[in-house]
Amino acid sequence: MKEYDILKQFDIAGEPAACKQLTCGNINRTFRIDLRQADGSITRCILQNVNVNVFKKPYELMQNICGVCAHLKEKVAAAGGDPLRETMTFADTADHTHLYLDEEGFYWRVYTFIEANSYQSADKPGLFYKAAKAFGKFQRQLADYPAETLYETIPGFHNTVSRFAAFQQAIADCKLPERLKEASAEIDAILSRESLAHVAVDAIADGSMPLRVTHNDTKLNNILMDPETDEGLCVIDLDTVMPGSVLYDFGDAIRFGASTAAEDEPDVSKIALDLDKFAEFAEGFLAGTDGALTEKELSLLPEGAMLLTYEQAMRFLTDYLNGDTYFKINYPEHNIVRTRAQLALLFDMEAKRDGMHEIINKQK
Ligand code: ADP
Ligand code: GN1
Ligand code: MG
């Protein structure tokens, strides 16, 4: 099997015995491999094919991740935790880059599999609070990380102003007229909300809101939860750790986890913002960040939720108009279905904006 041959390039003990693809991510190709050890026991690792269409400089990407993981390991060890379960651990390669380039031009990495729960929805009572606390703690653990050493793995990743320009360009350059027509209502909804795109970018630019080292992709399935207690165990998918705003981490987690339906739910009547889930996440996130957020950041958290939902709608629709070159899709209409779901959520957030602010005002 090709995956087994690739595994041989990494410094990892055991003989591969089983391989299963894990399909919940939208970007990389991820496999869980069972490894039989000399004593007969089975251990596991993750083999992942890095998507270089998205991450154009994989060596810089790995330098970022290894630096961040080393920093997190020190913090975890100092707190008496287990760095092998609470942070990602990458297997080495002969050239010590932690990356193997195969003859077909694919880049691979291998890291320790962590036995844990990985959730697609926050339905379980208390789960979203625990995830929020862990994402908030992650942010705090990186507060003293030297941000200037981080490469921008995707330039302008959450620069919604430049994303808006890319969206306009996708409309102008679109080679799929039937898609343009089909999406006209969604295009109008996005174009008419341009001012929202400025919420974080402008506040960072005028110095009223700090840049921090943020995760930038805080979907619930990017955190592993302890199998016994469901406490946040390990934040994963560190490809987008870069300087950013706390609004991005808060907002993206709300977008994904405080919705009453999946991010690609085709029946938009099922989609709403669950204010109880919003409150639950906010409480956990404030506990995790432990007083680190400024007054301005706190006051903009609801706008962060709207911003990230708006940006995601824009990104899915840009990809649809560009012919589905970025996100993995399961069927041809997937990106327009995702766009509609994100817009339905955004509209409900707009209606519940005062409610979100009341919750934050009570908690801060
Ligand atoms: P993508 O960038 O495509 O989202 P991820 O790195 O998030 O890929 O991995 C996809 C999924 O694989 C995760 O959501 C998680 O369920 C599982 N996974 C990834 N890394 C680990 C790990 N170290 N231990 C256990 N499960 C993992
Ligand atoms: C991608 O890799 P994954 O599935 O965790 C994307 C996020 C989107 C998300 C939408 C690098 O996240 O930005 O919010 O899909 N990651 C990248 O589900 O673009
Ligand atoms: Mg992921």
Side-chain angles (χ1 to χ4, degrees):
M1 189 186 275
K2 185 186 164 163
E3 285 79 29
Y4 293 179
D5 290 338
I6 289 163
L7 213 59
K8 289 187 194 133
Q9 306 298 326
F10 292 84
D11 182 15
I12 188 146
E15 280 303 311
C19 173
K20 181 177 188 285
Q21 186 162 4
L22 306 179
T23 51
C24 76
N26 284 332
I27 301 296
N28 298 310
R29 269 198 312 139
T30 309
F31 302 88
R32 187 191 70 197
I33 312 264
D34 287 4
L35 296 160
R36 192 179 315 281
Q37 302 300 325
D39 64 0
S41 65
I42 296 285
T43 61
R44 284 175 161 172
C45 71
I46 292 276
L47 170 69
Q48 198 171 50
N49 175 206
V50 179
N51 182 335
V52 285
N53 178 41
V54 168
F55 300 104
K56 313 267 185 220
K57 297 183 176 167
Y59 292 104
E60 292 188 356
L61 175 81
M62 284 314 290
Q63 280 181 42
N64 270 13
I65 297 180
C66 289
V68 165
C69 286
H71 182 89
L72 292 171
K73 282 183 192 304
E74 273 177 28
K75 299 264 163 168
V76 169
D82 178 355
L84 282 176
R85 286 185 80 223
E86 296 175 44
T87 62
M88 297 172 79
T89 306
F90 288 85
D92 212 354
T93 45
D95 63 359
H96 305 301
T97 61
H98 301 281
L99 271 182
Y100 170 64
L101 170 61
D102 72 17
E103 51 299 335
E104 289 172 65
F106 292 116
Y107 289 84
W108 298 87
R109 61 190 173 196
V110 168
Y111 51 97
T112 310
F113 180 85
I114 297 164
E115 294 292 347
N117 294 332
S118 171
Y119 292 95
Q120 302 305 320
S121 96
D123 293 342
K124 216 169 170 180
L127 183 73
F128 210 29
Y129 174 87
K130 289 171 178 167
K133 211 169 90 186
F135 276 131
K137 181 176 159 198
F138 179 83
Q139 169 104 182
R140 208 168 20 112
Q141 287 172 322
L142 292 177
D144 57 348
Y145 193 78
E148 67 286 354
T149 63
L150 286 170
Y151 294 104
E152 217 182 344
T153 54
I154 301 178
F157 187 54
H158 284 310
N159 186 325
T160 320
V161 175
S162 43
R163 293 245 179 228
F164 189 86
F167 176 61
Q168 288 176 306
Q169 198 63 50
I171 298 169
D173 296 347
C174 186
K175 307 265 184 319
L176 303 160
E178 69 292 352
R179 286 195 169 188
L180 265 185
K181 202 162 148 221
E182 180 192 8
S184 69
E186 290 75 22
I187 291 174
D188 288 348
I190 292 171
L191 291 177
S192 67
R193 285 168 172 78
E194 184 180 0
S195 60
L196 183 53
H198 289 266
V199 166
V201 169
D202 289 3
I204 291 169
D206 70 19
S208 59
M209 194 168 65
L211 260 188
R212 299 178 184 275
V213 176
T214 47
H215 181 282
N216 296 304
D217 188 5
T218 47
K219 292 200 297 196
L220 188 63
N221 60 27
N222 283 334
I223 182 164
L224 301 174
M225 314 301 283
D226 187 290
E228 259 132 53
T229 63
D230 266 336
E231 291 290 339
L233 184 64
C234 179
V235 174
I236 58 167
D237 205 348
L238 305 180
D239 296 331
T240 53
V241 172
M242 285 181 276
S245 162
V246 72
L247 302 196
Y248 305 153
D249 282 3
F250 182 84
D252 199 52
I254 294 293
R255 174 192 74 75
F256 189 83
S259 172
T260 52
E263 70 172 4
D264 59 354
E265 168 58 52
D267 179 356
V268 293
S269 71
K270 291 187 182 157
I271 302 173
L273 171 72
D274 180 337
L275 274 179
D276 292 335
K277 285 268 174 293
F278 177 89
E280 187 184 338
F281 191 88
E283 197 185 344
F285 198 71
L286 296 191
T289 47
D290 197 20
L293 305 192
T294 66
E295 188 59 36
K296 173 93 175 185
E297 288 175 313
L298 290 167
S299 71
L300 282 177
L301 290 177
E303 278 68 25
M306 291 193 284
L307 174 70
L308 270 283
T309 307
Y310 175 60
E311 183 188 286
Q312 194 63 65
M314 201 185 287
R315 293 178 60 198
F316 284 144
L317 190 48
T318 302
D319 197 31
Y320 190 62
L321 298 178
N322 285 341
D324 307 315
T325 58
Y326 187 95
F327 294 104
K328 279 193 230 159
I329 52 165
N330 298 335
Y331 53 95
E333 302 294 296
H334 206 162
N335 273 321
I336 185 74
V337 166
R338 287 163 163 162
T339 306
R340 291 187 177 130
Q342 296 303 294
L343 285 175
L345 180 60
L346 175 63
F347 301 157
D348 198 50
M349 285 178 169
E350 288 174 345
K352 291 174 178 161
R353 182 183 190 148
D354 290 349
M356 288 195 276
H357 277 286
E358 265 170 44
I359 288 165
I360 298 294
N361 284 336
K362 260 193 236 146
Q363 291 189 2
K364 70 182 185 189

